[in-house]
Amino acid sequence: MRALAPIQPRFVGGCVRDALLDGADGTVDIDIAVAARPEETMRLAEAGGLGAHPTGLAHGVVTITSAGRGFEVASMRRDVATDGRRAVVSYTDDIAADAARRDFTMNALYADAEGRVIDPLGGGLADVRARRIRFVGAPAERIMEDYLRILRFFRFHATLGIDAFDPAGRAAAIDAAAGLAQVSKERIGAEMLKLLGAPDPEPALKAMGPVLGVVLPGAAPFHGLVAAERNAGEAPDPLRRLAALNARAAESQLRLSRADAARLRGIRAALATPAPPAARAYRRGADAARDALLIEAADGAPPPAGWRVEIARGAAATLPVAAADLIAAGAVPGPALGARLEEIESLWIESDFRATRAELLAGDQDWPR
C-alpha cells in the first residue's frame, strides 16, 4: 500500500466484506483497486522493490508479489460492453463508477490502508450489518453482465450462512438460469464446489429451484446430510454432497479433475452396492464407504455401531489367496482362473474376512489342466 500510495490504493471486495463479517466466508485473497492504468501500477510496484506481473492486462489487473505472496491489483474501471461472460472496460478514477460494475453491494466496499471503509454507492455497509445479499442496481442487469453471478448469489448465501433471500435477486437469478449455458463448465464447477463446501448449503440448494437442474441435470436438493455429518463429527465435503445430489454426468457437467471424478464414481458405486461397512471399505475404499454411510444416514439409516472401526478393518484387509496359489494347485492361467479368484474373494468377503487361506483353497480341485 505504501508503494502504491501515489495512485490511491484501496482494499476492495471480499477482504473488506469478510473483515467486517469477522471472516465469515474465509476469504484469503486480498484485492486492491487503484486509480491508475496497469502500466503505472507496475512501475510503482517495481520502484518499491516488489514483483509485478501482468496477469490480466485486458482487465487492468496486475499481480504484485511481496514476500512470496501475490496480491491482485486492479485499475478502477467501468464496463463499456458485456456479453454475459466477459466485458470491454475503460479505466476511471471514479470510485463510484468502479463500485457500480461490481456484483453485490457488500462486495462494493473499499478500505484504505488505515482501515477506513468507503461505501461509494451507499447501502453496502447497511447490507453487511443486516447480512443481506443484494445485487448492485438492477439484478437482471448485473446478471446479464456475467451469468456466473447467478451461482455466486446462491453461493454467498451458503458460505455466509444467510437463509433469507432478497426476493428480487432470487427471481432474477431463476429467470436468467438459461444464460448459464454461456459460462464455461470449469467456472460453473468451481463455483458449485465452493457452494457445496459451505457449512450448510441445503437452504441455498433448495432456493436455487430450476437453476440447480440447469447446471446439474437430474439433481435434486438433499436434506439431512449436514445433520448426519455433524452427528458423525465429519467436516463438510463438497464431493460427498455432490454425490448426494444424484445428478447425471456431474463429472462432465462440472469438468471435475480426474481425481475428483474418480472419487465421485467410488461414492456412487458404494451407494449402488449396499453391504456392511467393512465389505464396502474393502471394495471401494474407506472414504467411499464412509461417504455412502453418511448419505444413507441422511435418508434415515444411521450408521451401525462401530462403523469407523469396521471401515478401517475392511480397508486394511488383504485377500489371503493369490493367483499364484491357484496355479500351484494346478490351475491354468486364463479367464477361468480369474473367475475362480473372484469367486474365492466373494466367499472370503461373505465370511467377514475370517476364512483362512487353507479353507478358501480346500475343494479347489476342478481346474482345467
Side-chain angles (χ1 to χ4, degrees):
M1 297 295 273
R2 284 194 299 271
L4 300 178
I7 53 177
Q8 302 172 41
R10 300 180 180 96
F11 301 111
V12 64
C15 63
V16 180
R17 176 199 69 223
D18 287 353
L20 294 168
L21 291 172
D22 296 324
D25 193 37
T27 296
V28 294
D29 295 330
I30 295 179
D31 296 330
I32 298 167
V34 295
R37 298 180 66 87
E39 296 82 3
E40 178 67 2
T41 301
M42 293 182 67
R43 187 189 70 78
L44 288 170
E46 290 169 347
L50 304 173
H53 312 278
T55 50
L57 284 185
H59 295 92
V61 178
V62 173
T63 298
I64 295 180
T65 54
S66 175
R69 181 174 179 181
F71 300 81
E72 279 200 356
V73 179
S75 301
M76 293 198 300
R77 55 200 190 272
R78 66 175 81 239
D79 290 340
V80 176
T82 60
D83 64 3
R85 292 176 296 173
R86 57 185 71 87
V88 177
V89 302
S90 64
Y91 299 123
T92 181
D93 59 3
D94 182 352
I95 192 172
D98 186 71
R101 53 169 293 278
R102 297 183 179 274
D103 50 8
F104 308 113
T105 57
M106 63 169 55
N107 289 341
L109 296 173
Y110 303 71
D112 63 18
E114 284 71 43
R116 289 185 289 263
V117 175
I118 305 161
D119 185 2
L121 304 179
L125 273 171
D127 285 340
V128 167
R129 293 188 183 104
R131 301 181 68 84
R132 181 171 52 233
I133 299 173
R134 288 192 305 122
F135 284 98
V136 170
E141 293 179 10
R142 293 291 81 73
I143 290 170
M144 287 177 63
E145 292 166 354
D146 183 355
Y147 286 104
L148 191 67
R149 288 172 173 171
I150 295 171
L151 296 183
R152 285 171 59 83
F153 176 74
F154 294 106
R155 190 254 290 183
F156 278 120
H157 277 86
T159 55
L160 296 175
I162 301 172
D163 295 344
F165 289 80
D166 173 55
R170 180 173 179 268
I174 290 174
D175 288 345
L180 284 164
Q182 300 182 38
V183 182
S184 74
K185 292 181 178 179
E186 289 85 353
R187 292 181 74 202
I188 288 175
E191 202 63 40
M192 283 300 299
L193 290 179
K194 289 178 183 178
L195 189 158
L196 290 170
D200 184 0
E202 292 186 13
L205 290 169
K206 183 178 179 181
M208 289 172 75
V211 173
L212 183 59
V214 169
V215 295
L216 284 171
F222 52 75
H223 304 281
L225 180 54
V226 171
E229 291 171 339
R230 289 173 178 169
N231 290 338
E234 292 290 335
D237 188 289
L239 288 175
R240 179 193 305 132
R241 292 164 171 186
L242 180 58
L245 289 175
N246 199 28
R248 297 190 299 271
E251 299 94 326
S252 59
Q253 288 293 326
L254 302 185
R255 292 283 169 84
L256 298 180
S257 68
R258 289 184 179 179
D260 285 349
R263 186 175 161 216
L264 183 62
R265 288 192 294 269
I267 299 171
R268 286 174 174 163
L271 286 167
T273 52
R280 268 181 170 165
Y282 174 79
R283 291 283 195 190
R284 308 298 177 188
D287 289 346
R290 175 204 61 209
D291 293 336
L293 282 170
L294 291 171
I295 292 170
E296 290 170 346
D299 291 331
W307 61 276
R308 293 183 191 278
V309 173
E310 286 297 286
I311 284 177
R313 182 171 70 90
T318 302
L319 180 65
V321 175
D325 296 318
L326 303 183
I327 292 171
V332 175
L337 173 63
R340 180 56 180 158
L341 191 60
E342 289 182 3
E343 181 182 350
I344 287 174
E345 184 180 46
S346 295
L347 291 171
W348 177 65
I349 295 171
E350 288 177 16
S351 77
D352 197 24
F353 311 108
R354 289 182 171 81
T356 65
R357 176 176 176 276
E359 290 170 336
L360 291 169
L361 290 172
D364 200 20
Q365 306 296 324
D366 298 324
W367 295 105
R369 298 180 185 275

